[in-house]
Every structure is written in structure tokens, then in C-alpha cells.
Amino acid sequence: EPEVTQTPSHQVTQMGQEVILRCVPISNHLYFYWYRQILGQKVEFLVSFYNNEISEKSEIFDDQFSVERPDGSNFTLKIRSTKLEDSAMYFCASNGQGVDEQFFGPGTRLTVL
Amino acid sequence: SQQGEEDPQALSIQEGENATMNCSYKTSINNLQWYRQNSGRGLVHLILIRSNEREKHSGRLRVTLDTSKKSSSLLITASRAADTASYFCATAWTGDSNYQLIWGAGTKLIIKP
């Protein structure tokens, strides 16, 4: 069964460093998302992406964040200069045209020291 | 503003009993989805109910939706130790394929063997 994959599973970085979180959505899906979950808190929407551009973004998704679909399979989230408060689990999700369910990857746990 | 709010925040029951979790939301929705998350792990889609549906079943899961009260419930019948997890409701307000999910804070369910 096709699934969303994410790498790495855990990323540790120093404050101020850039990180790139990678996702491979399900191959025939068209809509891509990033969400994050700070430990013990609710899941929060960051950004949605369709047709090679951002569809919608939340207040969290400031100019330190960017997304890219560099090729036909990967979907990346870049944080330019990480802060301590960026420590969270980051989930990638995707869905297809006319499909309401969003399929989630296993997440990348980002720890900023 | 917060969209979904689950209650109870935590629920501990004996194996074999039924577990009921509730979710309330504030705005109009197109669909409501329930997800499960094992401790520190990914989000697993359980069931989706559309705004024009009142009840839906999937295996041991039963979901109801009352749009007049802006609330939903998830019932897990004949609970098993493996059902121990956090359960989240998430709402989508648009009928488009491209939409963000707004999440509740979750109910932590513990099934005692």
C-alpha cells in the first residue's frame, strides 16, 4: 500500500542553523501539506502546496520557512535559522484530487539545541 | 482560535469496555476526521464523516456528527490494550480537495488489561 515517507526520522540541530525536512508524498497525489506538533500539544497546520505553489499558510509559517517540490517526488520544508521553539514533530501529508483523506507520514522529530 | 476540542482529555478504562470520546468545533465544516497517534509516533487516519452524514461505522469504530451542536463522538467498542493511544479530531471547512485540517487537543486513551 502506498504511503508517505519522511526523512530523517530525527534531526538534532543547533539554534540558528538551517534544516531541510524531506517528504515523499504518495505518487499520484496532488496536494501536499506540512503540519507540526510541539510535544504534548495539538497538531498545527503550517502550509499547503498545489501546482508548485503555496495555496495557504498559517501565521506560524513566517519568512523563516519555505517549501519546495524540487522534483517529481520530493516535497521539502526548509527552516532557515532555527529557533528553540521550532523543536517539534513535523508531519508531511498528501491527498489526491477528489479524495478527502489526508495521508500522513511518520513525522520528523526536530530538536533545536 | 481553537477549532476542535476533545473531551475528556484523558480516559482510562478496562479492556473490553467501550470508550467514547467527544469533539466540539466552532465553525462550519465540510468534513470531520478522527486520527489516532501512538505515543510520539505518526498520525493514522481512522474515519472521515462528511457534514451531510450523521453516523458512520468502521469495524469497532462508530462516529457520529451533530452539525447543529457542532460536535462529534468517536466510540470504540470492545476496547483492546492495543487501542491505547491519543485520539484527535480534525475538521476541514472547505469542500475543495486542497484544504487544511484544524485539530483538537486530543484525548489520551489508556486501556488497562
Side-chain angles (χ1 to χ4, degrees), chain A residues 1-5 24-29 94 103-104:
Chain A
E1 188 170 331
E3 58 183 18
V4 177
T5 59
V24 179
I26 294 174
S27 63
N28 61 347
H29 284 183
S94 69
F103 293 83
F104 281 76

Side-chain angles (χ1 to χ4, degrees), chain B residues 17-51:
Chain B
E17 292 180 341
N18 295 342
T20 300
M21 290 159 273
N22 302 297
C23 167
S24 60
Y25 56 91
K26 293 184 169 63
T27 65
S28 297
I29 63 169
N30 178 267
N31 67 68
L32 185 147
Q33 305 180 37
W34 284 91
Y35 286 80
R36 164 194 162 129
Q37 183 181 38
N38 287 74
S39 181
R41 307 291 291 277
L43 295 157
V44 176
H45 188 273
L46 295 176
I47 196 164
L48 178 152
I49 187 164
R50 293 189 171 80
S51 59

Side-chain angles (χ1 to χ4, degrees), chain A residues 29-56:
Chain A
H29 284 183
L30 300 174
Y31 306 96
F32 314 116
Y33 312 84
W34 284 100
Y35 294 83
R36 80 170 186 192
Q37 184 183 32
I38 294 170
L39 186 63
Q41 297 187 24
K42 61 172 65 178
V43 178
E44 300 171 290
F45 168 78
L46 294 179
V47 66
S48 59
F49 190 87
Y50 169 67
N51 200 26
N52 283 318
E53 61 183 25
I54 290 174
S55 308
E56 201 169 3

